[in-house]
């Protein structure tokens, strides 16, 4: 059995989520736009799901647009620029590619893109943001928690500052939701992206939460679903699954968070005793489940493959960038030395991870580190 320690990449479907979805995969196959009773059953399921997902982040159900996942939610959020006069917008340098790539597209269409720098812990530079805000950008996009390092960003204070300048604020909360408390209104953001498969829900479904006062042009045009904001027949079973996952995440937030933090602390205390192992952004406020480690002199990909051979699944840098041997844009933005940046692996615990799995990872990392250090000294 694989020891799966890559929960920031994706999570397994919770059996309770599967049970909630099952009737909508088989029995209740109606189209929610149909007005007959099978259609109405599907519509009611979506309405209920909207309430449950909104509840996870303290939003109003009418503020939610269901999407095909976090990527679409981020693309849609940036589409807020589509109906505004061309100007400047700001995006943090450590955003997920699902924000950065659309941002580059907007730049190619004539918008001026300002990348917000981060410090050595991958926390955005507040002074740089304050300076940028004085230029009255149209939008500021700042993720709540980074998928690679796990660092939690000061979204609330910056969002309130940005609002004073009339700036629209988007936060990608895909990694934060279900791991730390996330409150749409308290944060003071206008737009928030969510994804189901990071919280034990099905893949291919997510949501964008939108401030009621904000007009956002749709990416997909068609039958006018989601009140014209996202056309396409709804994936009812997936939406129901997302909602069940959101309900469980909200109810179990404290337990999951304490559990993963205990495991992470156990892992980090052990790794701190191994020469050549560094924990990245160790002193920063991070997601409770995430640790990014660098092992001097060992390629991250090599470490990942060696751990995989021992039945332990972790990720090197961003899951989406895996297979890419270049240091990730996040580690570059932090100013991490290139050779150390190439030596990183991310361990991300989940609600069902165990102490035994954590200990197996410690033993394997220790063995691999010591073995490669021995080989390096022989080579000298
Ligand atoms: C921070 C962040 N944003 C967005 C996404 C994309 O979400 P999805 O896989 O649902 O498209 C991910 C996925 O890894 C992510 O970590």
């Amino acid at each position: 059995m694989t020891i799966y320690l890559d929960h920031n990449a994706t999570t397994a479907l919770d059996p309770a989520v599967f049970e909630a979805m099952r009737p909508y995969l088989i029995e209740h196959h109606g189209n929610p736009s149909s007005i007959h009773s099978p259609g109405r059953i599907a519509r009611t399921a979506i309405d209920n799901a909207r309430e449950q997902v909104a509840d996870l982040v303290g939003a109003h159900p009418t503020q939610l647009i269901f999407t095909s996942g976090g990527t679409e939610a981020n693309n849609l959020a940036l589409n807020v620029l589509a109906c505004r006069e061309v100007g400047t917008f700001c995006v943090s340098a450590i955003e997920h590619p699902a924000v950065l790539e659309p941002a580059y597209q907007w730049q190619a269409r004539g918008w001026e893109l300002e990348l917000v720098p981060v410090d050595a812990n991958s926390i955005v530079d507040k002074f740089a943001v304050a300076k940028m805000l004085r230029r009255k950008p149209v939008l500021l996009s700042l993720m709540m928690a980074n998928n690679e390092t796990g660092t939690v960003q000061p979204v609330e204070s910056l969002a309130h500052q940005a609002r004073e300048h009339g700036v629209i604020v988007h936060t990608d909360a895909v990694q934060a939701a279900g791991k730390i408390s996330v409150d749409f209104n308290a944060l003071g953001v206008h737009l928030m992206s969510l994804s189901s498969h990071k919280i034990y829900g099905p893949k291919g479904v997510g949501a964008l939460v939108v401030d009621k006062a904000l007009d956002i042009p749709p990416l997909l045009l068609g039958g006018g679903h989601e009140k014209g904001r996202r056309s396409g027949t709804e994936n009812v079973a997936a939406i129901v699954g997302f909602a069940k996952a959101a309900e469980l995440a909200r109810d179990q937030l404290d337990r999951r968070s304490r559990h993963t933090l205990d495991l992470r602390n156990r892992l980090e205390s052990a790794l701190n005793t191994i020469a050549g192992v560094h924990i990245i952004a160790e002193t920063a406020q991070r997601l409770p489940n995430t640790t990014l480690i660098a092992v001097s002199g060992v390629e991250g990909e090599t470490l990942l493959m060696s751990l995989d051979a021992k039945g332990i699944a972790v990720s090197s840098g961003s899951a989406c960038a895996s297979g890419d041997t270049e240091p990730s844009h996040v580690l570059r933005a932090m100013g991490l030395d290139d050779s150390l940046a190439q030596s990183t692996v991310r361990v991300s615990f989940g609600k069902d991870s165990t102490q035994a799995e954590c200990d197996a990872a410690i033993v394997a990392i220790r063995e691999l580190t010591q073995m490669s250090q021995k080989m390096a000294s022989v080579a000298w």
Side-chain angles (χ1 to χ4, degrees), residues 8-9 68-72 74 96 98 143 145-147 172 174-175 194-198 204-205 319-320:
N8 284 11
S68 63
T71 299
E72 186 188 330
N74 283 339
H96 189 272
M143 70 199 324
N146 183 262
N147 42 302
D172 175 346
V174 164
Q175 290 293 343
L194 302 170
S195 176
S196 150
H197 74 102
K198 310 287 186 183
V205 61
C320 312

Side-chain angles (χ1 to χ4, degrees), residues 92-97 100 146-148 318 321 326-334:
S92 94
I94 56 160
E95 293 299 307
H96 189 272
L100 285 174
N146 183 262
N147 42 302
E148 294 185 35
S318 162
E326 286 288 297
S328 85
H329 67 285
V330 176
L331 301 177
R332 280 230 161 102
M334 292 165 71

